[in-house]
Amino acid sequence: MAKLALKGGSREAENLRKIVPPWPIYDGEDERAVVEVVRSRRWCRLYAGSKAEVFEEMFAEYHQAKYGVAVANGTVALELALKTVGVGIGDEVIVPAVTFIATASAVSEVGAIPIFADIDPETAAISAKSIEENITDKTKAVIGVHYAGYPINFDEVLPLIKKYNLFLIEDCAHAHGSEWRGRKVGAIGHMGGFSLQESKSLTAGEGGIVLTNSDELAEKARLIHNIGRVLGKPGYMHYILSSNYRLSEIQAGLLISQMRRLKEQVELKHETGEYLASKLRKIGGVEPLKKDERITKRGYYYFVIRYRSEELQNVSREKFVAALNAEGVPAGVGYGMPLYRQPAFKRENLKGVFPEDWGIPKYENLSLPGAEEYCRREVTLPHQILLGGKESADLIVAAIEKIKENVDELLS
Ligand SMILES: Cc1ncc(COP(=O)(O)O)c(C=O)c1O
């Protein structure tokens, strides 16, 4: 009789759905926070003492940053950061080959050219060596993505930023709460952009925030995000031409309320993640991201498992994920491919995005070894699964052990 759920057996991790709270989490106080803003009739931040301002201060403080500028989503957070540091038409910005497309599309949206650097397949973080190989006299900035919440190697990247006089923008969409050597991400580089979209560790459905420690960059970002107006000065005086990136007060009210849980959730996910990683390392074939003592806190968007089919009788990653899903573990494959393989980077689809004579890289010919290897092996679990604590980690481990023990059933 079959043992694996995929072949008709019982589900090993059936109880996960009972232990792991549905995401996003809310309670009566969150509901009241939204209703309070609705009843106040102050739905836009253009008032003194706005909710957006309160949220900016709370979030910046938690991330050990001096300033926060709340925006409509994580994509425009990156656009705002790029514009603020002065990235513009024809500049090159180095981005990692494995990330969500917004990391690269934010670059093209400000008229600059995304250049893909390879990643380290053991950490999913941008490779400093590859950054350096891709620097030209047009390079203006690097976007370091703390992919899955795993911080980039600041010890290697920051000296390059300094040496070549570049800007470092941190893409922290996955990394609420992550720390490098005791310092929260977001304002270790010049600016950091967070997403507050529904699947993220802090959310109001949509939303974003930019952090910085620079007085000058904060002031400039505020101006750019408010269509050239100075916050707090009423009326129609616009000092520069720019767009409207503002977050609504309804979202800001909800975010303030959601902030009650962030610290505790980050701690719990960190602990569960460490526990799960240590258990997985003993099974074989399912490696977590490499342990690095400099990462003093791991925020999570994904818990990543690097699947080694060679240790499970060459059962494909896709079949392994299907078997995990059948056991009740909601595993996925991240974004599925290096970014340069997306249709958006095909020659014909780049027409109209960049001028014809710009000599845009032939993205579709790229094959970066670290990115290729990482994407072949990547299996992802959503961050909220870690809120189930050790009990949820034990169920995931049991499901994987069961698949490994009965891997013969997956050979046919
Ligand atoms: C790495 C990364 N950067 C940027 C974004 C963009 O954020 P948003 O969806 O809020 O625009 C995301 C969203 O998933 C992301 O994962």
Side-chain angles (χ1 to χ4, degrees), residues 72-78 98-103 145-148 171-174 193-200 205-208 301-302 335:
N73 57 63
T75 306
V76 297
L78 295 175
V98 177
T99 176
F100 180 64
I101 196 159
T103 313
V145 180
H146 306 308
Y147 188 88
D171 182 343
C172 309
H174 292 185
F194 290 75
S195 166
L196 306 170
Q197 182 270 339
E198 188 179 283
S199 61
K200 304 301 181 333
E206 298 278 5
Y301 179 56
Y302 292 139
Y335 300 112

Side-chain angles (χ1 to χ4, degrees), residues 111-380:
I113 307 164
I115 303 291
F116 289 116
D118 203 359
I119 61 158
D120 175 346
E122 297 198 316
T123 66
I126 193 164
S127 143
K129 182 167 167 278
S130 185
I131 291 177
E132 192 158 24
E133 285 165 1
N134 280 289
I135 292 173
T136 70
D137 53 10
K138 288 204 227 158
T139 309
K140 191 91 184 243
V142 174
I143 304 185
V145 180
H146 306 308
Y147 188 88
Y150 192 104
I152 61 164
N153 188 333
F154 284 102
D155 289 5
E156 289 177 10
V157 174
L158 283 173
L160 285 181
I161 298 294
K162 209 162 172 203
K163 179 172 169 193
Y164 293 96
N165 200 17
L166 305 174
F167 289 100
L168 176 62
I169 311 275
E170 297 173 55
D171 182 343
C172 309
H174 292 185
H176 312 66
S178 288
E179 279 176 20
W180 179 261
R181 294 186 182 278
R183 210 170 139 194
K184 290 257 189 294
V185 299
I188 300 177
H190 295 88
M191 301 195 95
F194 290 75
S195 166
L196 306 170
Q197 182 270 339
E198 188 179 283
S199 61
K200 304 301 181 333
S201 290
L202 181 79
T203 181
E206 298 278 5
I209 186 164
V210 170
L211 299 184
T212 185
N213 278 330
S214 154
D215 304 0
E216 194 190 328
L217 293 177
E219 192 181 335
K220 196 164 161 207
R222 290 228 166 87
L223 196 64
I224 298 174
H225 113 291
N226 191 22
I227 199 156
R229 273 190 290 201
V230 175
L231 276 174
K233 279 198 193 168
Y236 293 104
M237 288 305 290
H238 303 263
Y239 297 92
I240 53 163
L241 291 175
S242 72
S243 195
N244 173 1
Y245 295 88
R246 294 187 308 260
L247 180 79
S248 94
E249 284 291 276
I250 300 171
Q251 288 161 296
L254 180 55
L255 286 165
I256 291 168
S257 178
Q258 289 279 317
M259 280 296 289
R260 285 176 296 146
R261 304 183 187 90
L262 181 62
K263 185 166 184 277
E264 205 176 294
Q265 286 175 343
V266 166
E267 302 293 328
L268 175 56
K269 288 192 285 188
H270 174 82
E271 271 172 36
T272 314
E274 292 285 291
Y275 175 78
L276 178 57
S278 70
K279 293 254 161 177
L280 291 180
R281 283 194 187 95
K282 291 182 193 134
I283 299 178
V286 282
E287 277 289 302
L289 293 177
K290 191 171 152 187
K291 191 158 176 61
D292 187 334
E293 299 295 342
R294 294 168 296 185
I295 299 172
T296 41
K297 190 81 61 195
R298 187 51 214 284
Y300 281 95
Y301 179 56
Y302 292 139
F303 183 96
V304 173
I305 297 170
R306 291 174 296 137
Y307 175 63
R308 301 179 64 80
S309 59
E310 52 277 37
E311 290 177 42
L312 274 93
Q313 297 199 36
N314 292 321
V315 162
S316 73
R317 189 254 315 249
E318 283 59 35
K319 212 168 211 179
F320 175 71
V321 168
L324 266 178
N325 291 162
E327 297 297 340
V329 179
V333 295
Y335 300 112
M337 65 188 91
L339 214 46
Y340 49 75
R341 295 205 185 284
Q342 287 284 346
F345 288 99
K346 286 200 183 309
R347 209 84 200 140
E348 66 264 28
N349 297 332
L350 290 170
K351 284 201 183 96
V353 179
F354 303 107
E356 296 282 330
D357 59 352
W358 268 19
I360 295 302
K362 292 191 171 63
Y363 295 113
E364 55 201 316
N365 294 346
L366 280 173
S367 181
L368 301 175
E372 296 290 333
E373 185 194 328
Y374 178 79
C375 288
R376 215 171 31 245
R377 297 191 188 281
E378 184 183 32
V379 174
T380 50

Side-chain angles (χ1 to χ4, degrees), residues 29-46:
E29 214 167 312
D30 296 295
E31 292 175 347
R32 278 193 293 281
V34 172
V35 169
E36 184 198 314
V37 180
V38 171
R39 290 186 177 157
S40 75
R41 292 201 163 82
R42 294 189 163 196
W43 299 356
C44 170
R45 76 169 299 173
L46 297 174

